[in-house]
Amino acid sequence: THRQVLDKKVQEDPVLSGAMAKLTDAAVHYDRNRDSIIMKAFEGSSMEPHVFKMQLARAFQIRLNEKEISALVLFFDKDGDGTVDGAEFLLEFFRRGFQEQARRKKVIRDRENRKKKKEADAKAKAEAKEAEIAFSAAAQDFTEENFVSAYDKMTAAALRYEKGSPSAVSLSAFEGASMTPAVFKEQLKRVFQLNFTRQELGALIRHYDKDGDQ
């Protein structure tokens, strides 16, 4: 497309690319309420290179050398008469400003999301560690009555569970791999809607922990 051709032209010309970067930064900081009057100088008419350079400096404090001005004039010279087409310039100015603002917002948003995820992961890890400590303590502090109570809950849940039912939660989490006490507790709650006291959970952990690694 025509737009892709223009973008490729900017990318391949380091002088034009540098000049466009200055223009893009100005576009990002453009404020319609504050700067709309100064934009009138670019509306409607064609500008000679020296006028274009002066207007950029006056309106946006953009300082360009002769090579950069020549590159921009060539880019915005719509009919090949050696002047800058004002309408073409404004179209490109606002397009680049909008795209760059969106890009910068995305960078900030992605950075914040990574930070939140890192904090959430750290919190989850700390909570899991605390839970493991609590479960380990509970595993040493239970009675036979706690085990009977927990086992009765498990038996009742097993009788209620209908594997072929569309609403039945998969048992895959219990297959094969060993689980930490925290994961074991969470899976019992998720699959069977079971809640246990610390002592009941400790009794179950001791019962099912065949190799003593909890």
Side-chain angles (χ1 to χ4, degrees):
T1 65
H2 178 64
R3 170 50 52 195
Q4 290 174 327
V5 171
L6 292 178
D7 288 342
K8 184 177 181 181
K9 184 177 181 181
V10 173
Q11 294 170 2
E12 293 178 346
D13 185 338
V15 175
L16 179 57
S17 179
M20 278 297 186
K22 296 178 182 179
L23 196 63
T24 299
D25 191 62
V28 168
H29 294 94
Y30 171 78
D31 185 315
R32 179 176 296 177
N33 296 324
R34 181 193 64 203
D35 304 327
S36 59
I37 295 178
I38 63 177
M39 297 301 285
K40 292 186 179 299
F42 298 96
E43 294 177 358
S45 59
S46 294
M47 290 172 282
E48 297 287 340
H50 70 282
V51 176
F52 181 53
K53 180 179 181 180
M54 180 183 66
Q55 293 294 358
L56 288 176
R58 186 168 65 176
F60 309 115
Q61 291 75 53
I62 297 177
R63 300 290 183 262
L64 301 171
N65 58 41
E66 292 305 317
K67 287 185 178 181
E68 290 173 326
I69 280 291
S70 297
L72 285 179
V73 169
L74 185 62
F75 185 86
F76 292 117
D77 184 8
K78 192 172 184 179
D79 54 12
D81 65 354
T83 63
V84 171
D85 183 278
E88 189 76 9
F89 166 77
L90 290 177
L91 182 65
E92 186 70 13
F93 179 85
F94 289 121
R95 186 187 76 86
R96 287 186 171 274
F98 177 78
Q99 287 187 339
E100 181 62 14
Q101 284 178 340
R103 187 193 70 80
R104 293 184 185 186
K105 287 179 181 179
K106 184 178 184 302
V107 169
I108 293 173
R109 187 167 59 250
D110 289 347
R111 185 187 303 127
E112 290 176 346
N113 288 339
R114 287 194 298 271
K115 180 181 179 182
K116 289 179 181 179
K117 184 179 184 304
K118 184 176 180 180
E119 291 173 348
D121 289 345
K123 182 180 179 181
K125 185 176 181 180
E127 290 177 346
K129 183 65 176 178
E130 291 179 3
E132 293 299 331
I133 294 173
F135 294 150
S136 295
Q140 310 301 322
D141 182 27
F142 62 88
T143 65
E144 181 67 23
E145 183 179 344
N146 296 139
F147 174 73
V148 172
S149 173
Y151 201 81
D152 286 345
K153 289 181 181 180
M154 292 276 289
T155 301
L159 292 173
R160 291 193 304 269
Y161 183 80
E162 297 181 17
K163 188 174 182 180
S165 172
S167 61
V169 180
S170 172
L171 297 175
S172 60
F174 296 98
E175 296 173 357
S178 60
M179 290 178 281
T180 63
V183 173
F184 181 53
K185 177 185 178 183
E186 184 60 30
Q187 292 300 333
L188 289 174
K189 182 178 181 180
R190 185 180 69 87
V191 177
F192 302 112
Q193 292 77 52
L194 287 175
N195 290 294
F196 297 96
T197 66
R198 287 179 56 194
Q199 287 73 24
E200 288 174 335
L201 187 63
L204 287 177
I205 291 171
R206 176 64 64 84
H207 179 74
Y208 291 112
D209 183 17
K210 299 304 182 182
D211 56 9
D213 64 353
Q214 292 192 10

